[in-house]
Amino acid sequence: MKNWIRILTLGSIVVLGAAACDDTGTAPDLIDDEALRADVALVASDGLFNDLAVMLDPFTLSLVGSGPEFSPTDGSGSYSFTRNVTFFEDDVAKDSYDPLLTDSIHVEWEFEREAEHTFWSAEIERSRDMMVTGLEGEETQRTWNGEAEADIFRSRHKDEVTRTYDMEMEATHTDVVKGVPRIDNPWPLGGTITRHVHVIVMEGDEVIGERDVKATVTFNGTQFVILDVDGEEFEIDLSQRGVKGRMGHRGG
């Protein structure tokens, strides 16, 4: 099923709101699956922008190295993370980055965040285990592959009604290609990020239902990409650099 979402302008990324649940109640067989898919799209998009933010160039990774870091706020909550970086030459670990000889880098992240928007709030824990390859010699592109996990607690989506979820995510980053130099290639040239999301639907402290949802974004070298959530398609503008706003209606 295609259900196109109009692209949001500055300050807005994906559909956050959707039609409110029926007045007949919120029993498990009356869960609004359309609204749930839109809410998963929001959380997956937030993860997508975070994915792209951590795909740093090798020189930047060599500067930050490893160890704990903290950033007080990004305007939508606070976050903290640790990062460990290992450089390789011919599968041999090295202590430092060599622009010509380093052929791959292994990066591990542990990330915690409190998201606070007018339309959405959540406590988020993410971990990533990533390899970037294609670095040896004069580079024209770099390729990212890896796995990630996330737990999203009390994900509250505010609309005509407030919907609350706990979510467990497993993500696979497959051949996400970043062109070099970045100034000429600001958007990933290809590859996918797929998230398998187990959604626990809450009403207060009570579990009223569960869903398994698949969300896949496919890169195409432009700033506009499609996020497919169980067959429903959301268009995302990567230039917005984060989930910052909401859309009140759906376009077709």
Side-chain angles (χ1 to χ4, degrees), residues 13-34:
I13 300 300
V14 297
V15 170
L16 309 182
C21 296
D22 293 339
D23 293 336
T24 52
T26 54
D29 61 340
L30 296 177
I31 292 172
D32 189 334
D33 286 297
E34 184 180 21

Side-chain angles (χ1 to χ4, degrees), residues 169-187:
M169 292 189 179
E170 294 183 354
T172 301
H173 304 70
T174 305
D175 295 334
V176 179
V177 178
K178 304 290 290 291
V180 180
R182 182 176 178 179
I183 191 171
D184 297 327
N185 303 275
W187 323 116

Side-chain angles (χ1 to χ4, degrees), residues 88-241:
F88 290 91
E89 296 175 17
D90 296 325
D91 296 326
V92 178
K94 300 293 183 178
D95 294 330
S96 60
Y97 168 65
D98 186 304
L100 295 179
L101 298 180
T102 298
D103 52 32
S104 62
I105 303 175
H106 181 212
V107 189
E108 298 171 287
W109 282 272
E110 296 288 341
F111 182 94
E112 295 183 4
R113 178 186 175 201
E114 293 182 2
E116 285 291 345
H117 300 273
T118 58
F119 52 83
W120 174 56
S121 62
E123 297 177 8
I124 302 168
E125 297 178 359
R126 301 187 194 278
S127 63
R128 291 180 177 83
D129 190 318
M130 305 284 289
M131 289 291 298
V132 54
T133 57
L135 308 180
E136 188 175 8
E138 296 292 336
E139 306 160 54
T140 59
Q141 61 185 36
R142 306 174 184 125
T143 303
W144 290 80
N145 284 278
E147 306 289 335
E149 296 181 351
D151 292 311
I152 293 89
F153 303 102
R154 286 300 184 183
S155 184
R156 294 174 59 82
H157 302 249
K158 302 174 184 178
D159 198 12
E160 288 87 351
V161 296
T162 298
R163 298 176 298 279
T164 303
Y165 314 97
D166 287 343
M167 299 184 187
E168 299 175 356
M169 292 189 179
E170 294 183 354
T172 301
H173 304 70
T174 305
D175 295 334
V176 179
V177 178
K178 304 290 290 291
V180 180
R182 182 176 178 179
I183 191 171
D184 297 327
N185 303 275
W187 323 116
L189 303 177
T192 61
I193 300 177
T194 299
R195 285 179 165 82
H196 295 275
V197 189
H198 182 67
V199 184
I200 301 172
V201 186
M202 309 290 293
E203 186 175 84
D205 293 327
E206 180 182 357
V207 175
I208 64 169
E210 301 185 29
R211 295 287 190 272
D212 289 305
V213 181
K214 180 181 178 181
T216 300
V217 64
T218 302
F219 298 104
N220 55 23
T222 77
Q223 73 188 74
F224 302 112
V225 296
I226 298 300
L227 174 66
D228 182 292
V229 182
D230 274 358
E232 187 168 357
E233 295 181 330
F234 300 79
E235 192 166 31
I236 302 173
D237 183 354
L238 299 179
S239 71
Q240 299 300 302
R241 298 175 63 85

Side-chain angles (χ1 to χ4, degrees), residues 35-52:
L36 184 146
R37 287 191 296 271
D39 295 337
V40 169
L42 163 64
V43 177
S45 297
D46 181 71
L48 163 64
F49 283 106
N50 192 238
D51 289 334
L52 298 179

